Amino acid sequence: MKFNTSIRRAGAAAAVAGLVVVGLAAYAQAQAPQPLKIGVMEGFSGVYGDLTQGEVEAIQMAIDDFGGKVLGRPIEVLQADHQTKPDVGAAIARKWYDVDGVKMITGIGTSSVALAVRKIAQEKGMIDINTGAASADLTGPACSPTGAHWVYDTYSLAKVTGGAVVKDGGDSWYFLTADYAFGHALERDVTAVVKAAGGKVLGGVKHPLSTQDFSSFLLQAQASKAKVIGLANAGQDTINSIKQAGEFGITKGGQRLAGLLVFSTDVAALTLPVAQGLVLTEAFYWDLNDETRAWTKRFRAKKDKIPSMLTVGVYSSTLHYLKAVQAAGTDEPKAVMAKMREIPVNDVMTKNGKLREDGRLERDMYLFQVKTPAESKNKDDIYKLIATVPGNEAFRPMSEGNCPFVKK
């Protein structure tokens, strides 16, 4: 009887000790700083898949450069493929904000997805920093007090590339346009630039996203006799349309191709013999200066490919966001956005950039021309700089954007 009593006492003591240990562990976990969560959402597969490779590595570089923590909290990155589908992107954003505790989403390429995600972010009062989609509506009718548009937009692409082509004699245009929000916005904005410069648009044709065969579209463009065929598409669609235009002898026949959203990765895929002479607008080029070359060397140790402006865009947006969280002393979205607007943007891609009230980051844009094989020193030597366009000239004036909360 005494023996059983001793066993019961020992068991009770062990149970109490166990509860104490569990309680202490729970207390320690409760006291440990919770991670600040950042999400990167992109079309990591499909028509834009090649453009977005390396973005996760670039975000990690930003976190490492910042010091790995902010306000004493570790920083955690979530990633997801929205498959270029607006409903998928919206569902991911809702789960990240509501369930997973994500405080900022960046990337978000594909304008239709970006506009869907923007609605969710605005509804939740959360931060979305778009680095991949182009539609200028993101700082116009679809602007948000907690949203930003970071790298380029359809207005700047139209202004810089379209303006340069018209000035160089390309005063009649025909468009090959991706049939969704991005393509429509880009055609609209380039048309305005062409007409304002005294040029004319002879017509256009819209093609489905991820088109493999451009023959019928290119034949219509060829038959238009327009001096310039404007490619209001991107990614693999741009690559396919340029390649097939070469097969049809369109440029040899005297018509010019205007790549309205072309990336360094596209040029690498096309090769210089095919892409030579293309005039295009970018926000970044790896070989621009010593700083861009040094950053690229670090990036290529993680992902051996030329970084595009999308890659560096997520680096830049993440680094500036973390600076703003640190300066605000909180991750509360409105306080962070106020600091993001207050602090100048300075990094490898942007110098003395300003985040405007409507969410547009004003930064220099660069007009490049693709080198000929004879001009190139190696496979990555692809661009020659034609002009640097200041941000206040490249981007739409805030007074003209129709952002609902910006006072005119």
Side-chain angles (χ1 to χ4, degrees):
M1 192 71 178
K2 290 181 180 178
F3 179 73
N4 288 341
T5 301
S6 299
I7 290 175
R8 286 197 298 272
R9 286 175 178 169
V16 170
L19 288 172
V20 169
V21 170
V22 170
L24 288 172
Y27 177 78
Q29 187 174 6
Q31 295 304 305
Q34 295 301 301
L36 177 70
K37 294 183 180 181
I38 296 170
V40 55
M41 183 197 306
E42 275 289 9
F44 287 116
S45 59
V47 66
Y48 301 140
D50 187 56
L51 300 176
T52 56
Q53 297 306 307
E55 290 191 12
V56 175
E57 289 83 354
I59 282 186
Q60 191 58 53
M61 284 175 65
I63 293 169
D64 294 344
D65 288 352
F66 189 75
K69 291 185 177 182
V70 60
L71 303 178
R73 300 164 60 184
I75 303 161
E76 182 180 333
V77 177
L78 281 69
Q79 59 180 319
D81 183 354
H82 58 52
Q83 305 166 44
T84 67
K85 297 177 181 177
D87 58 337
V88 173
I92 292 168
R94 191 178 296 277
K95 179 178 182 295
W96 275 357
Y97 288 139
D98 287 349
V99 179
D100 297 322
V102 168
K103 295 297 184 180
M104 184 273 279
I105 300 176
T106 190
I108 333 176
T110 309
S111 293
S112 54
V113 178
L115 292 166
V117 170
R118 170 58 57 83
K119 287 182 180 179
I120 302 300
Q122 196 165 13
E123 172 191 319
K124 306 291 181 184
M126 301 297 282
I127 293 176
D128 68 301
I129 308 177
N130 194 289
T131 59
S135 175
D137 290 350
L138 288 163
T139 53
C143 68
S144 167
T146 53
H149 204 178
W150 207 254
V151 182
Y152 56 87
D153 61 23
T154 51
Y155 184 97
S156 63
L157 297 171
K159 181 76 179 292
V160 180
T161 304
V165 172
V166 175
K167 188 177 180 180
D168 194 38
D171 57 4
S172 64
W173 288 61
Y174 188 94
F175 288 98
L176 263 64
T177 301
D179 193 11
Y180 76 105
F182 152 66
H184 299 172
L186 188 51
E187 180 180 335
R188 174 198 69 200
D189 291 344
V190 175
T191 295
V193 168
V194 170
K195 289 183 176 179
K200 54 188 175 182
V201 174
L202 303 183
V205 61
K206 292 179 172 56
H207 67 79
L209 185 65
S210 197
T211 298
Q212 299 302 311
D213 183 2
F214 281 87
S215 57
S216 64
F217 309 122
L218 288 167
L219 287 172
Q220 291 178 65
Q222 192 174 38
S224 74
K225 305 296 183 183
K227 292 180 183 178
V228 180
I229 300 172
L231 303 178
N233 51 22
Q236 195 61 45
D237 283 341
T238 298
I239 291 171
N240 287 339
S241 53
I242 292 173
K243 282 182 176 179
Q244 291 171 37
E247 293 166 6
F248 278 96
I250 286 177
T251 51
K252 288 182 179 179
Q255 289 175 297
R256 296 171 61 181
L257 298 179
L260 298 170
L261 180 53
V262 178
F263 299 87
S264 55
T265 47
D266 298 331
V267 174
L270 284 163
T271 72
L272 295 187
V274 177
Q276 61 182 312
L278 271 178
V279 174
L280 52 91
T281 300
E282 289 237 38
F284 176 86
Y285 176 46
W286 76 270
D287 201 19
L288 203 57
N289 53 51
D290 288 343
E291 187 180 7
T292 59
R293 286 187 283 272
W295 190 94
T296 298
K297 185 177 180 179
R298 290 175 52 215
F299 172 77
R300 296 194 78 159
K302 297 176 178 289
K303 192 80 171 179
D304 192 17
K305 62 178 296 182
I306 297 176
S308 74
M309 57 179 165
L310 294 183
T311 311
V312 189
V314 295
Y315 170 89
S316 171
S317 63
T318 300
L319 186 63
H320 192 69
Y321 169 76
L322 294 175
K323 290 177 182 177
V325 171
Q326 185 72 44
T330 177
D331 62 14
E332 194 280 319
K334 289 186 177 179
V336 173
M337 286 299 295
K339 287 296 180 183
M340 287 183 70
R341 292 187 174 96
E342 178 184 321
I343 302 170
V345 180
N346 278 298
D347 53 51
V348 67
M349 185 176 77
T350 305
K351 299 303 176 190
N352 294 315
K354 175 178 175 54
L355 185 63
R356 303 187 320 201
E357 187 182 353
D358 62 353
R360 176 67 258 164
L361 173 59
E362 278 192 356
R363 55 169 324 282
D364 291 349
M365 297 295 286
Y366 305 103
L367 182 69
F368 293 109
Q369 186 172 36
V370 178
K371 289 184 174 182
T372 66
E375 292 171 322
S376 176
K377 298 175 184 176
N378 56 64
K379 68 181 181 66
D380 295 333
D381 180 24
I382 59 175
Y383 289 160
K384 52 186 176 184
L385 180 64
I386 304 300
T388 300
V389 183
N392 61 349
E393 295 179 19
F395 293 98
R396 179 179 60 204
M398 189 160 57
S399 61
E400 298 176 10
N402 295 317
C403 174
F405 62 83
V406 171
K407 296 177 181 178
K408 292 186 178 181

